[in-house]
Amino acid sequence: MQPTTAVFDNFRADLDDYNDRRERLIKASRDVTNLSKRTIFLLHRLVIDDDSDDNSGALCAATRGYEKLREVQAIFASLKPELEGDRFWRYQRQVSPGLQEYIEALSFAHYLEHRSLITFHQVQQTLCDAHGVPYFPLTVSNYLLGLSDLTGELMRFAISSIGRRGGRTKANEVCAFVRACKADFERMTPYVRDLSKKQAVTAQSLEKIEDAAYAIAVRGSEYALPQEMLDDLVAQSVSRFGIQNDPQPGRRSDDDDL
């Protein structure tokens, strides 16, 4: 009788350990999500408030964003003992929401600095210790899903910038970039769970940028307007899209798959 009781005591200890670790990872993922969202809001605010004609404002915003994301990287570093060995694969569903939000914020800061997409290797490097040892493996699915969320932030960035000096050119650049992202990610859709849902949101974001750019281009070509009047017309067109209060449909909730 004693050996049987001992076996069930081991089962109970294993279940308690699993549940305790799961709860710790869920809490850490929510903390990562909150910090990453704050970083995204910070990037938008700094870019919108920038009045410089060159790219110095975006570079400054990216630098501030990287500094803020060090707090997130510290959380990931603290999770290394929790995710050693095959534990990462066992608890991946608890870690993924925060990780994807982090990749979204990191890729947005990277875009502002380089006007390009951050690579898989660059993201993994930010999740390594001083010796280059990863805290946990970065999966291709988390990488792609995080980048797919980036397109929504680029839509907000393009439309909020379109009424400012040089903003129409910037919006056209973002539009072409988002269009290329959508085309490239489409090839991965059959192999990555939930990517098709993200692609639907990307298509909506792309449509909003195209509609805004199209309306402004048509109105600008119809009338020979002074720059001041054209800027007012742009502001009116942009206000129709309601970007400030527009939630991101399809965005993954903190509690999804936990």
Side-chain angles (χ1 to χ4, degrees):
M1 191 65 179
Q2 182 62 32
T4 303
T5 303
V7 169
F8 278 95
D9 286 341
N10 291 333
F11 290 160
R12 181 181 60 188
D14 288 342
L15 287 173
D16 288 344
D17 179 71
Y18 169 79
N19 289 324
D20 291 344
R21 181 174 286 107
R22 182 177 180 274
E23 290 301 319
R24 290 195 297 270
L25 291 173
I26 289 174
K27 182 182 183 303
S29 182
R30 286 173 176 165
D31 292 341
V32 167
T33 298
N34 289 333
L35 286 171
S36 298
K37 286 181 177 179
R38 291 178 185 177
T39 302
I40 292 172
F41 297 154
L42 173 67
L43 292 171
H44 279 298
R45 186 170 65 251
L46 292 176
V47 171
I48 291 174
D49 292 342
D50 176 52
D51 292 325
S52 59
D53 295 332
D54 54 14
N55 199 39
S56 59
L59 293 176
C60 179
T63 301
R64 291 280 302 278
Y66 293 141
E67 293 173 356
K68 187 73 174 175
L69 288 175
R70 290 196 186 101
E71 300 178 38
V72 178
Q73 293 159 10
I75 295 177
F76 284 137
S78 69
L79 297 181
K80 184 178 180 180
E82 303 276 14
L83 299 172
E84 286 181 338
D86 61 352
R87 286 178 183 166
F88 173 78
W89 306 106
R90 188 178 185 185
Y91 297 98
Q92 183 182 182
R93 291 167 72 88
Q94 283 71 52
V95 178
S96 290
L99 181 57
Q100 291 174 28
E101 196 76 33
Y102 165 73
I103 294 173
E104 179 184 357
L106 179 66
S107 59
F108 188 27
H110 182 89
Y111 177 83
L112 293 177
E113 181 180 8
H114 300 285
R115 291 295 190 268
S116 64
L117 206 60
I118 192 169
T119 66
F120 179 91
H121 180 65
Q122 288 173 322
V123 175
Q124 181 68 86
Q125 280 185 320
T126 68
L127 301 173
C128 295
D129 59 21
H131 303 288
V133 179
Y135 305 135
F136 49 81
L138 174 65
T139 65
V140 174
S141 60
N142 281 329
Y143 170 71
L144 290 175
L145 291 171
L147 290 185
S148 187
D149 285 335
L150 168 66
T151 57
E153 304 307 332
L154 292 180
M155 178 269 292
R156 287 165 174 75
F157 170 62
I159 294 183
S160 63
S161 302
I162 203 169
R164 306 173 71 87
R165 183 180 301 176
R168 291 183 285 282
T169 300
K170 189 179 298 182
N172 289 331
E173 293 175 355
V174 173
C175 184
F177 183 83
V178 172
R179 189 181 295 116
C181 287
K182 181 178 182 300
D184 290 340
F185 293 165
E186 197 67 38
R187 293 178 293 178
M188 310 293 181
T189 300
Y191 310 104
V192 179
R193 179 186 177 187
D194 293 330
L195 186 56
S196 59
K197 299 177 183 178
K198 305 267 189 178
Q199 282 289 88
V201 179
T202 296
Q204 295 174 11
S205 298
L206 178 60
E207 183 179 358
K208 288 183 178 182
I209 303 173
E210 290 175 338
D211 286 348
Y214 175 78
I216 291 165
V218 170
R219 291 303 182 95
S221 63
E222 286 178 347
Y223 307 102
L225 298 177
Q227 186 64 38
E228 294 78 9
M229 294 183 63
L230 183 58
D231 288 340
D232 291 340
L233 181 62
V234 169
Q236 293 174 10
S237 298
V238 170
S239 65
R240 292 190 296 108
F241 294 93
I243 298 305
Q244 289 78 6
N245 298 318
D246 179 32
Q248 281 185 282
R251 174 182 282 274
R252 191 169 185 158
S253 170
D254 297 348
D255 297 326
D256 287 353
D257 294 335
L258 295 184

